[in-house]
Amino acid sequence: LRANMSVIQRETGFVNGLIVVLHDVTEQEKLDRERREFVSNVSHELRTPLTTMRSYLEALSDGAIKDDELGPRFLGVTRNETERMIRLVNDLLDLSKMDSRNFTINPDWINFTSFLNQIIDRFEMSKERHVHFKRLLPKEAVFVEIDEDKLTQVIDNIISNALKYSPEGGTITFRVKLLDDHIEVSISDQGIGIPKDNLTKVFERFYRVDRARTRQLGGTGLGLAIAKEIIGVHGGDIWAKSQEGKGTTIIFTLPYDPVQEDDWL
Ligand code: ADP
């Protein structure tokens, strides 16, 4: 709290008033600090792939390009780093859109069960690792009003994380529960888990539990922050539960009106 004080004094020298203005600077300072941290994070995140690329490009121009084995390998590295920067910039653009005051979504009435099934099918078709998918979903149609593209982005991100951290042969379980006025969607893996102290932090921008390792896995550190924004504008909530070494569950909710659905049938 900052106080500005002005003394109201007459020409005669008598003081006949005091104006005290109190500013709440803590909130402003917090925002300023967050903004500075954000810019510093973005700079670091971009510098890492750029410096890697510079050294590989130097090695290539110093002769590695003529080497049948090293040439393609080094080019592959620079390409991966480029891909990472594109992902990062795309994520940043998404977040900056969401930060703007006029961010809106385009919701439609969607049958959530078939929507989720389609996403799981896509991962099941394309997955490179040996991981099982278990679906514990309601048999009936569950209509919710959501922006399909945005929700796809959320679920894609959660599944990609679950796959990244899953052990070979592990199971990823999908559950959808119908509650009074919302549905609860959970995606559980049997991976390394998240330490208790970090369970809320993983939804912050750029927060990673293990910086070096997750960077190696190709993440931007923004996926769950974006998910939180998207679920938030839908009127839902998102959080994580985990037991270290046993697995992680990401849970989110979406508003749901069972009565309205009956009217439809
Ligand atoms: P990233 O792009 O690094 O995956 P996210 O925002 O998606 O960024 O996740 C933030 C961090 O949360 C990750 O770096 C990782 O440390 C942790 N995390 C997310 N999902 C899982 C999971 N299923 N198992 C273990 N750790 C996870």
Side-chain angles (χ1 to χ4, degrees), residues 5-265:
M5 208 156 63
S6 327
V7 179
I8 302 169
Q9 202 170 21
R10 290 197 166 176
E11 279 160 29
T12 56
F14 283 111
V15 174
N16 69 346
L18 259 183
I19 299 174
V20 180
V21 184
L22 300 174
H23 301 274
D24 184 356
V25 286
T26 43
E27 189 56 27
Q28 189 56 42
E29 267 169 14
K30 186 169 160 257
L31 285 175
D32 284 348
R33 194 183 58 235
E34 278 172 6
R35 194 168 307 133
R36 277 197 302 273
E37 275 173 15
F38 185 70
V39 172
S40 146
N41 275 328
V42 173
S43 315
H44 273 107
E45 294 295 330
L46 283 171
R47 194 174 59 180
T48 311
L50 282 169
T51 47
T52 309
M53 278 171 69
R54 183 176 56 193
S55 37
Y56 278 85
L57 287 171
E58 268 166 17
L60 281 163
S61 26
D62 287 348
I65 194 142
K66 298 208 186 85
D67 188 301
D68 285 348
E69 195 257 324
L70 290 182
R73 205 172 88 204
F74 286 7
L75 279 173
V77 173
T78 59
R79 205 169 130 182
N80 277 342
E81 295 301 305
T82 313
E83 295 294 338
R84 174 208 294 287
M85 285 194 288
I86 293 173
R87 273 201 303 276
L88 177 66
V89 171
N90 281 336
D91 281 357
L92 285 169
L93 284 172
D94 276 347
L95 275 174
S96 117
K97 266 188 231 144
M98 291 170 197
D99 284 341
S100 80
R101 225 166 275 163
N102 43 22
F103 173 61
T104 49
I105 50 171
N106 300 312
D108 276 317
W109 285 99
I110 303 279
N111 175 5
F112 195 81
T113 356
S114 58
F115 164 73
L116 183 58
N117 268 319
Q118 278 168 27
I119 299 182
I120 307 172
D121 289 344
R122 171 160 53 78
F123 274 91
E124 213 158 38
M125 297 281 284
S126 67
K127 74 178 176 212
E128 290 145 26
R129 310 206 21 228
H130 186 59
V131 174
H132 305 282
F133 289 130
K134 189 159 138 197
R135 312 179 196 208
L136 302 175
L137 313 179
K139 295 273 177 294
E140 69 265 38
V142 178
F143 278 92
V144 286
E145 202 178 8
I146 53 168
D147 184 319
E148 208 172 338
D149 289 345
K150 296 275 183 306
L151 248 295
T152 303
Q153 195 179 350
V154 170
I155 297 167
D156 275 6
N157 185 266
I158 299 174
I159 303 179
S160 311
N161 280 341
L163 278 170
K164 265 193 252 175
Y165 299 106
S166 276
E168 261 326 276
T171 300
I172 297 177
T173 308
F174 298 84
R175 280 190 188 82
V176 174
K177 277 195 229 162
L178 308 185
L179 301 167
D180 277 352
D181 56 357
H182 61 273
I183 62 169
E184 197 179 275
V185 184
S186 69
I187 300 169
S188 310
D189 63 56
Q190 298 172 321
I192 54 167
I194 299 173
K196 219 181 170 123
D197 295 347
N198 299 318
L199 281 176
T200 53
K201 293 202 188 119
V202 291
F203 294 94
E204 288 172 14
R205 297 175 187 194
F206 290 119
Y207 192 86
R208 297 172 173 117
V209 176
D210 177 342
R211 218 153 244 280
R213 190 191 53 206
T214 53
R215 210 184 261 125
Q216 238 173 23
L217 290 171
T220 62
L222 295 174
L224 287 178
I226 292 176
K228 190 175 170 181
E229 296 285 338
I230 295 176
I231 295 297
V233 289
H234 279 85
D237 239 326
I238 183 166
W239 67 96
K241 285 203 288 198
S242 180
Q243 255 189 304
E244 261 188 283
K246 292 247 170 80
T248 303
T249 302
I250 305 288
I251 303 147
F252 65 85
T253 62
L254 290 169
Y256 167 66
D257 183 355
V259 181
Q260 189 167 2
E261 192 173 311
D262 286 345
D263 292 345
W264 279 47
L265 300 173

